[in-house]
Amino acid sequence: MPKTLAKAPQKSRIQHQNQAVILKAALEVFSAYGYRGTTVDQIAVKAGLSKPNLLYYFKRKEDIYVAVLEHTLEEWLKPLRMLDVGGDPFIELTRYISEKLDMSFANPPASRIFANEILHGAPHIQKFLKGPLRELVEEKVKVIRHWIAAGKIKPIDPPHFIFAIWAVTQHYADFSTQVEAVLGSADGKAQVKLAVAEILLRGLKN
Amino acid sequence: MPKTLAKAPQKSRIQHQNQAVILKAALEVFSAYGYRGTTVDQIAVKAGLSKPNLLYYFKRKEDIYVAVLEHTLEEWLKPLRMLDVGGDPFIELTRYISEKLDMSFANPPASRIFANEILHGAPHIQKFLKGPLRELVEEKVKVIRHWIAAGKIKPIDPPHFIFAIWAVTQHYADFSTQVEAVLGSADGKAQVKLAVAEILLRGLKN
DNA sequence: GAAGCTCTTGACCATTTGATCAAGAAATAA
DNA sequence: TTATTTCTTGATCAAATGGTCAAGAGCTTC
């Protein structure tokens, strides 16, 4: 069986599995302690591997971080992609808010590692922000403008409205510590969804 | 001149000045690189002092961080404190939003160091969150309930409404990198204020 | 079962970094 | 001036940490 010309990029079963384990462990640790606050050993322990073994799969600490980040970005865009110009604005936006909140509740570490990255100037994902993210926002801004032009919702500044949705929904992941401390006990997810949708969408009615 | 019993807590002129210089430098560095990402030397250089000299004023790195954080929290509460039940809801809330946005624009590092602290579980300010902050929120929740009961604004979930204001206003400090990347060029401050106030407050009218 | 590749790890290294300290400089008080 | 306190720093240390490496264990394939 001759080796093919290009380096075989096919991963073995064990490789695939260990990388997944590492990425999962790394997400938790990085999101909890930040990039510098995380040690390679912490990730290795959480992944159940030795440090050199971990560095066999990812040469450098930064490589792990970037892999985790990229893995997270994909999921991040999905809900927004589905915003459909053909649908009813309130159903579409309610669904979008609901899904973003579900993500915040289900996977706070993903939201936090992303928040942390941007908080520190987004050194690893500038291209993502100025490229795919920007294009997607521009596309969805058109959707909102279309709804406004069609008289389906009241006029609103579309990009800032999208920012507002992001800010509020991710707040429940990134700042959950504060939310819980202030509320005493966290409100139910359904209740939060209702409240947030009401706050963000009622101004669009009529 | 006999020494008084208690340790003299009075600071000399030079002490006062150097501590201020250190806190200012530390805020910038901590907010940019996080706690672990910041080295004492970085702060010292930015403050124009030698590292041992800096550690003469603050024994441990953590002491500097805590001092910066506490110094920031004070300012953080001010705008909310001024929310007045006697005033017109829309004027009061518009002013609050405007002031929070001014803070975000004028001093992003302050917002970011706070965000970073909460993002990582708020290990140093649990007491603040569960104490003064919570009490203040409870007080202002009453103000909003009062406005609702008086028919001055439409019903809304008060605590989550406060969270929404925080989330959106601080978004422009904490996520300014993303905002600018997506918008291309940052919108003017006045324009942002208008858009945000509209998004958050229009749902309360009628 | 032998060869060859993949995977794993204990030991180790170089650098970074928070923190200390003794000794001297500068300010302040007598 | 002299004495005392405050301030400053070069030199240094110990611990933490990212990363390396050689040697061995484990799979896979023929």
Side-chain angles (χ1 to χ4, degrees):
Chain A
M1 200 146 296
K3 253 196 176 150
T4 47
L5 350 152
K7 297 173 194 167
Q10 48 183 332
K11 297 172 188 173
S12 74
R13 178 180 41 79
I14 197 167
Q15 216 168 104
H16 207 276
Q17 178 190 312
N18 275 346
Q19 284 193 355
V21 170
I22 291 169
L23 287 183
K24 188 185 174 198
L27 172 60
E28 292 178 35
V29 183
F30 277 131
S31 75
Y33 302 102
Y35 178 73
R36 290 282 290 262
T38 293
T39 72
V40 177
D41 228 22
Q42 272 180 295
I43 302 173
V45 168
K46 178 149 271 183
L49 301 174
S50 68
K51 185 169 70 166
N53 197 187
L54 188 149
L55 288 169
Y56 168 77
Y57 292 101
F58 295 89
K59 285 298 167 207
R60 300 178 308 148
K61 178 187 180 184
E62 196 178 6
D63 293 345
I64 313 174
Y65 180 72
V66 170
V68 171
L69 216 48
E70 288 178 350
H71 191 264
T72 302
L73 294 183
E74 275 314 299
E75 206 158 329
W76 207 82
L77 287 186
K78 280 181 191 167
L80 182 54
R81 282 197 203 286
M82 292 171 60
L83 207 65
D84 177 22
V85 68
D88 173 74
F90 293 95
I91 292 176
E92 289 294 312
L93 290 170
T94 300
R95 190 182 46 69
Y96 179 48
I97 289 170
S98 175
E99 278 174 16
K100 286 288 284 180
L101 280 173
D102 281 334
M103 286 177 59
S104 285
F105 292 138
N107 198 2
S111 183
R112 288 197 182 118
I113 199 174
F114 185 69
N116 207 57
E117 169 70 10
I118 295 182
L119 206 56
H120 296 340
H124 300 91
I125 57 172
Q126 281 291 331
K127 283 181 189 170
F128 168 79
L129 297 183
K130 294 185 178 173
L133 183 62
R134 182 173 174 178
E135 284 162 26
L136 184 59
V137 168
E138 281 171 358
E139 181 191 327
K140 297 310 177 184
V141 162
K142 283 180 192 164
V143 171
I144 297 175
R145 286 197 207 290
H146 180 269
W147 285 337
I148 295 172
K152 292 184 176 177
I153 62 175
K154 280 186 155 181
I156 200 86
D157 186 310
H160 290 288
F161 183 63
I162 292 174
F163 292 152
I165 295 176
W166 289 350
V168 175
T169 54
Q170 290 176 218
H171 188 82
Y172 289 91
D174 305 340
F175 285 68
S176 66
T177 302
Q178 178 177 265
V179 169
E180 284 159 26
V182 167
L183 287 182
S185 63
D187 285 0
K189 297 173 188 176
Q191 188 179 345
V192 173
K193 280 187 187 181
L194 266 179
V196 169
E198 194 74 8
I199 289 167
L200 288 172
L201 299 183
R202 194 161 62 190
L204 303 183
K205 284 178 184 165
N206 267 351
Chain B
M1 203 147 293
K3 250 194 183 155
T4 47
L5 347 153
K7 298 173 194 166
Q10 50 182 332
K11 298 172 186 172
S12 74
R13 179 180 39 80
I14 197 167
Q15 216 168 106
H16 206 276
Q17 176 191 313
N18 274 347
Q19 285 194 354
V21 169
I22 291 170
L23 288 183
K24 189 186 174 197
L27 172 60
E28 292 179 35
V29 183
F30 277 130
S31 74
Y33 303 103
Y35 178 72
R36 290 280 291 260
T38 294
T39 71
V40 176
D41 227 21
Q42 273 179 295
I43 303 173
V45 167
K46 178 149 271 184
L49 301 173
S50 68
K51 185 167 69 166
N53 196 13
L54 188 150
L55 288 169
Y56 169 76
Y57 291 101
F58 295 88
K59 286 299 169 206
R60 300 177 308 149
K61 179 188 180 182
E62 196 177 5
D63 292 346
I64 312 174
Y65 180 72
V66 171
V68 170
L69 216 47
E70 288 179 349
H71 191 264
T72 302
L73 294 183
E74 275 314 301
E75 206 158 329
W76 207 81
L77 288 186
K78 280 181 191 167
L80 183 54
R81 282 198 201 287
M82 291 172 61
L83 208 64
D84 177 21
V85 69
D88 173 74
F90 292 95
I91 291 175
E92 289 293 313
L93 291 170
T94 301
R95 189 182 46 70
Y96 179 48
I97 289 170
S98 175
E99 279 173 17
K100 286 287 285 179
L101 281 173
D102 281 335
M103 285 176 59
S104 285
F105 292 137
N107 198 2
S111 184
R112 289 197 181 118
I113 199 173
F114 185 69
N116 207 58
E117 169 70 10
I118 295 182
L119 207 56
H120 296 342
H124 300 91
I125 58 171
Q126 281 290 332
K127 284 182 189 168
F128 168 79
L129 297 182
K130 293 185 178 173
L133 182 62
R134 182 174 174 177
E135 286 163 26
L136 184 59
V137 168
E138 282 172 357
E139 180 190 326
K140 298 310 176 183
V141 162
K142 284 180 191 164
V143 170
I144 297 175
R145 286 198 207 289
H146 180 271
W147 285 335
I148 294 171
K152 292 184 176 177
I153 62 175
K154 280 184 154 183
I156 200 85
D157 186 310
H160 290 288
F161 183 63
I162 292 174
F163 292 152
I165 295 176
W166 289 350
V168 175
T169 54
Q170 289 175 219
H171 188 81
Y172 290 90
D174 305 340
F175 286 68
S176 66
T177 302
Q178 178 176 263
V179 169
E180 283 159 27
V182 168
L183 287 183
S185 63
D187 287 359
K189 297 173 187 177
Q191 187 178 345
V192 173
K193 279 189 187 180
L194 266 178
V196 169
E198 195 74 8
I199 290 166
L200 288 172
L201 299 183
R202 194 160 60 190
L204 303 183
K205 284 178 183 166
N206 266 351

